[in-house]
Amino acid sequence: NAGVMQNPRHLVRRRGQEARLRCSPMKGHSHVYWYRQLPEEGLKFMVYLQKENIIDESGMPKERFSAEFPKEGPSILRIQQVVRGDSAAYFCASSPPSGANVLTFGAGSRLTVL
Amino acid sequence: GQSLEQPSEVTAVEGAIVQINCTYQTSGFYGLSWYQQHDGGAPTFLSYNALDGLEETGRFSSFLSRSDSYGYLLLQELQMKDSASYFCAVIRPGGFKTIFGAGTRLFVKA
């Protein structure tokens, strides 16, 4: 039973390029959450999705950031026209429908913007 | 809005007991969770309290007082491998969004 799978683990982009981060939740989990973490800081909530639905995107920047969780395939966090301030670790977590009090995290995707 | 406060750093010796406190202010509250994160690693779930009182899981215990908007994580018989960051997190109703505190960095010394 594979855990939460995130890829790529490390991603390097130049300013102005696009970054796509993928997350496959644990088997049986239908809720996906994305968090951003800067070095030495806490986890900042970005977005909460269920299949084909964005439930809460109150933590997402208004521009350049988008997320989706299609009926088939992984959840994707997309960052357009990246800037140096986007450099961070992006963690995906999943939970089952009845167990949102326990989040299972992936290993994270570390984005570096040059 | 919501805010969580926890100490930024705690240092303790191997074999000792340490308590990490967390106070929260939130417009909605469903429960309080604790997560551990080692450097470069992913956060991992430790415990969850929905009701007042103490929950024990091995060397780790977690306490919640809803009336005081306060909780703590208690780590007993500290080991070097317990050196990590510990995050308290509030789960909010109406969507079960989990909001994390800034984390407490625990240093365990020999």
Side-chain angles (χ1 to χ4, degrees), chain A residues 9 31 33 35 37 40-43 45 48 55-56 58 91 97 100-108 110, chain B residues 30 33 35 37 39-45 47-48 87 91 94-103 105:
Chain A
R9 290 292 309 278
H31 299 196
Y33 310 77
Y35 289 84
Q37 186 175 39
E40 308 296 323
E41 292 191 9
L43 295 147
F45 170 82
Y48 163 35
I55 307 302
D56 186 331
S58 57
F91 286 96
N101 56 305
V102 180
L103 298 181
T104 302
F105 281 85
R110 282 155 181 81
Chain B
Y30 193 77
S33 295
Y35 287 79
Q37 185 181 31
D39 283 348
T44 56
F45 173 81
S47 68
Y48 171 70
F87 297 91
I91 299 168
F96 299 108
K97 182 169 69 176
T98 302
I99 304 299
F100 285 79
R105 195 165 179 86

Side-chain angles (χ1 to χ4, degrees), chain B residues 44-106:
Chain B
T44 56
F45 173 81
L46 290 177
S47 68
Y48 171 70
N49 295 70
L51 303 175
D52 286 1
L54 193 68
E55 293 283 341
E56 298 181 67
T57 309
R59 295 187 297 114
F60 294 0
S61 303
S62 59
F63 172 82
L64 175 65
S65 168
R66 296 175 72 109
S67 60
D68 295 323
S69 297
Y70 163 76
Y72 66 73
L73 179 70
L74 191 73
L75 299 86
Q76 303 183 71
E77 300 173 16
L78 281 175
Q79 302 175 10
M80 298 296 287
K81 67 178 182 180
D82 297 330
S83 293
S85 292
Y86 292 84
F87 297 91
C88 61
V90 164
I91 299 168
R92 298 186 60 202
F96 299 108
K97 182 169 69 176
T98 302
I99 304 299
F100 285 79
T104 298
R105 195 165 179 86
L106 172 65

Side-chain angles (χ1 to χ4, degrees), chain A residues 17-82:
Chain A
Q17 292 184 318
E18 178 179 288
R20 282 192 180 221
L21 310 178
R22 296 173 191 78
C23 170
S24 295
M26 279 187 70
K27 188 176 181 181
H29 287 193
S30 57
H31 299 196
V32 166
Y33 310 77
W34 286 94
Y35 289 84
R36 177 163 65 177
Q37 186 175 39
L38 295 171
E40 308 296 323
E41 292 191 9
L43 295 147
K44 300 295 185 185
F45 170 82
M46 299 182 74
V47 62
Y48 163 35
L49 311 102
Q50 296 178 18
K51 282 286 186 182
E52 299 184 280
N53 281 308
I54 296 175
I55 307 302
D56 186 331
E57 57 180 347
S58 57
M60 288 277 274
K62 299 298 181 199
E63 297 177 350
R64 303 189 297 109
F65 285 71
S66 63
E68 63 176 4
F69 189 14
K71 186 177 180 180
E72 301 292 336
S75 174
I76 295 174
L77 179 67
R78 182 183 178 202
I79 311 172
Q80 295 178 287
Q81 300 175 324
V82 296

Side-chain angles (χ1 to χ4, degrees), chain A residues 82-93:
Chain A
V82 296
V83 300
R84 287 217 174 106
D86 297 332
S87 296
Y90 292 84
F91 286 96
C92 170

